[in-house]
Amino acid sequence: MLWGHRAVGARIFWWDPLVLISATALSALAWPLIGGLAGLPLLVVGHFFLFCNVFRVGTRRELVWAVALALAAVGWSAVGRLTLLAVTLSILPVSVGVILDARRASDYHGWGARKKDR
C-alpha cells in the first residue's frame, strides 16, 4: 500500500474469529455468575469488529460509541435497571448513527466503499 492510499472494503484478519470466539466463550462462562450482563464483552467486541473491520468508522466515532455505552450503563445502573437488553437498546441508535455518519464521510473506506482513482 502506498502512503496515503487505503484499501477499501471490509477486512478480516486471522485473529478476528479467535477474538470473537473468545468473547463468546467468556460471556457463556460468566453467564451463571452475573446473568445477562455477561453479554457485555460480546456486545463490545462485536461492535469493535463492526466498527474496525466492516464499516471502518474511525477512532472518533468509536469513542462516541464508547462514551454512549458507558453513559447508558451508568444511567441504567443508577436507576437500578441495568440489563444487557436496556444497554443494547439504548446504544442502538448511536451504533446506527455512527455507521451512517461514517458511510456519508468523504473518506469512507469500509464495506460498500468504492475505490477512488488517484
Side-chain angles (χ1 to χ4, degrees):
M1 172 165 50
L2 298 174
W3 182 262
H5 292 267
R6 287 184 177 154
V8 298
R11 63 184 178 183
I12 189 165
F13 297 103
W14 66 268
W15 60 80
D16 291 331
L18 297 176
V19 172
L20 291 167
I21 290 167
S22 297
T24 303
L26 176 64
S27 292
L29 290 172
W31 197 277
L33 302 173
I34 60 175
L37 290 178
L40 280 175
L42 188 56
L43 177 73
V44 171
V45 169
H47 273 81
F48 184 80
F49 179 77
L50 281 176
F51 291 163
C52 294
N53 295 62
V54 178
F55 295 105
R56 301 172 76 183
V57 302
T59 305
R60 288 187 183 135
R61 291 179 190 96
E62 291 169 0
L63 289 174
V64 166
W65 182 85
V67 168
L69 175 69
L71 290 174
V74 168
W76 285 113
S77 181
V79 297
R81 302 213 183 253
L82 179 61
T83 65
L84 181 62
L85 181 61
V87 172
T88 302
L89 292 177
S90 296
I91 64 162
L92 185 60
V94 178
S95 301
V96 171
V98 160
I99 291 168
L100 292 177
D101 184 58
R103 289 194 56 118
R104 279 190 244 128
S106 62
D107 63 344
Y108 179 68
H109 60 283
W111 179 68
R114 296 184 186 186
K115 187 174 182 178
K116 293 181 174 109
D117 295 325
R118 290 195 181 241

